[in-house]
């Protein structure tokens, strides 16, 4: 006879459940004493999405061994609620946000670089490489693949909900509260290298003569040496950056009113 535990997933963790099973108790049967993390991931929720686990009202870690009759409440990251360091299952947030994106997120990578967020993107990186770079360089893994964040070595990840790059950027800004850290035009859109100001003499070979005569300020990528200057393309990007940051600020405002207690967050 198997043992049983009842799970309840809160707020956006329900995105990972089939529609019919969202916002409802879910009974799982099990043999032996599996870790709560393994059972949660078997249900479909990646461990990287989880902030806190309560078992029969007590805060527990991922390695907690399930017992017959346990009642498990699983909570996502709380943007507006301080649950206290002791009860978090996720490691402390990474201080300087840096990302690595899977092969389907090239457009999002460019938007994040445009806003000044360190974003590694390789169009041929396999899952193994994504996970190992994320772990080694302490980068947050961004993906729409719900299996990838379940890898054991991945500690910080976010599963994007939208398929639209600008909406994805808004999700990332909101989820990691990045608005105040944006530094548009500090990173190369092509290679993620740092941009530094350079004088006209240093870029004479890389800039058309028509531009040289009109412009005085240039920035150059320290890695790939690409030169950027204010112009049509730059102006368009600047508008995109401003719009995105404005949209993120507008979304953020209403959220600050909703300081919900965990049991109210469904
Ligand atoms: Zn570059």
């Amino acid at each position: 006879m198997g043992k049983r535990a009842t799970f309840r997933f809160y707020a956006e963790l329900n995105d990972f459940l089939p529609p019919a099973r969202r916002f409802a108790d879910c009974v799982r049967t099990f043999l032996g004493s599996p870790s709560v993390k393994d059972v949660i991931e078997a249900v479909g929720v990646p461990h990287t999405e989880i902030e806190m686990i309560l078992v029969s009202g007590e805060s527990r870690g991922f390695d907690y061994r399930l017992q017959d009759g346990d009642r498990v409440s699983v909570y996502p990251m709380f943007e507006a609620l301080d649950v206290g360091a002791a009860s978090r299952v996720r490691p402390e947030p990474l201080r300087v946000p840096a990302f690595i994106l899977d092969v389907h997120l090239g457009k999002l990578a460019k938007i994040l670089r445009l806003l000044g967020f360190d974003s590694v993107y390789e169009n041929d990186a396999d899952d193994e490489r994504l996970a190992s770079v994320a772990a080694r360089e302490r980068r947050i893994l961004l993906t729409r693949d719900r299996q990838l964040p379940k890898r054991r070595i991945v500690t910080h990840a976010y599963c994007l909900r939208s398929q639209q790059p600008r909406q994805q950027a808004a999700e990332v800004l909101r989820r990691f509260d990045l608005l105040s850290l944006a530094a548009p035009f500090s990173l190369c859109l092509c290679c993620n290298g740092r941009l530094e100001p350079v004088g006209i003499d240093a870029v004479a070979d890389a800039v058309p003569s028509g531009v040289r005569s009109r412009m005085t300020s240039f920035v150059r990528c320290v890695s790939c040496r690409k030169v950027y200057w204010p112009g049509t393309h730059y102006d368009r990007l600047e508008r995109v950056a401003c719009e995105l940051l404005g949209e993120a600020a507008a979304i953020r405002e209403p959220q600050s009113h909703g300081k919900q207690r965990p049991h109210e967050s469904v």
Side-chain angles (χ1 to χ4, degrees):
M1 180 76 181
K3 303 173 190 172
R4 294 155 64 94
T6 306
F7 285 78
R8 182 74 181 249
F9 294 89
Y10 287 86
E12 68 261 29
L13 293 183
N14 285 276
D15 294 351
F16 296 95
L17 304 180
R21 289 170 55 189
R22 291 176 185 165
F23 302 104
D25 284 355
C26 151
V27 175
R28 301 289 293 187
T29 55
F30 58 95
L31 297 169
S33 51
S35 73
V36 69
K37 176 184 172 201
D38 287 346
V39 177
I40 288 171
E41 292 207 322
V43 174
V45 180
H47 72 275
T48 47
E49 296 282 328
I50 297 165
E51 180 81 353
M52 187 168 77
I53 299 169
L54 299 182
V55 180
S56 305
E58 275 194 53
S59 173
R60 301 287 188 181
F62 282 133
D63 55 357
Y64 172 78
R65 298 284 162 183
L66 272 186
Q67 295 172 26
D68 193 22
D70 275 347
R71 189 168 180 88
V72 185
S73 303
V74 190
Y75 299 96
M77 235 174 98
F78 297 114
E79 301 297 351
L81 176 70
D82 183 7
V83 296
S87 53
R88 290 172 194 273
V89 288
R90 224 165 30 86
E92 280 298 290
L94 300 178
R95 279 183 193 176
V96 180
F99 300 98
I100 179 165
L101 292 82
D102 81 21
V103 295
H104 306 292
L105 300 174
K107 286 184 178 160
L108 175 61
K110 285 206 166 173
I111 294 175
L112 291 176
R113 289 172 184 170
L114 171 67
L115 298 175
F117 298 111
D118 181 354
S119 299
V120 165
Y121 170 78
E122 298 162 353
N123 61 10
D124 58 354
D126 61 17
D127 289 359
E128 190 76 44
R129 170 143 179 94
L130 291 166
S132 67
V133 173
R136 189 176 63 242
E137 300 183 8
R138 293 175 57 78
R139 291 178 177 275
I140 298 164
L141 175 61
L142 299 179
T143 181
R144 280 186 45 80
D145 175 353
R146 293 177 178 188
Q147 298 306 315
L148 191 47
K150 292 182 183 174
R151 292 187 169 231
R152 195 161 288 274
I153 63 169
V154 177
T155 56
H156 294 74
Y158 173 67
C159 288
L160 295 148
R161 273 51 164 192
S162 174
Q163 299 193 49
Q164 207 279 330
R166 280 181 62 152
Q167 287 174 9
Q168 290 172 338
E171 280 183 43
V172 174
L173 288 170
R174 187 165 69 242
R175 169 64 185 259
F176 297 99
D177 200 13
L178 297 180
L179 204 52
S180 62
L181 299 174
F185 300 103
S186 57
L187 293 176
C188 177
L189 302 189
C190 297
C191 80
N192 199 41
R194 190 168 46 80
L195 298 180
E196 61 177 13
V198 284
I200 179 72
D201 295 342
V203 297
D205 296 342
V207 178
S209 58
V211 173
R212 274 204 311 271
S213 61
R214 286 185 285 116
M215 300 293 166
T216 52
S217 72
F218 299 88
V219 287
R220 184 173 61 191
C221 172
V222 298
S223 300
C224 76
R225 317 298 281 174
K226 184 174 163 67
V227 177
Y228 296 80
W229 60 88
T232 314
H233 190 50
Y234 187 106
D235 291 346
R236 189 182 68 79
L237 291 174
E238 189 167 35
R239 201 164 55 243
V240 170
C242 288
E243 284 170 10
L244 277 167
L245 294 173
E247 285 162 17
I251 292 167
R252 194 185 183 205
E253 246 344 270
Q255 276 209 338
S256 62
H257 300 302
K259 289 204 170 190
Q260 297 172 314
R261 300 299 307 171
H263 60 274
E264 293 167 347
S265 59
V266 292

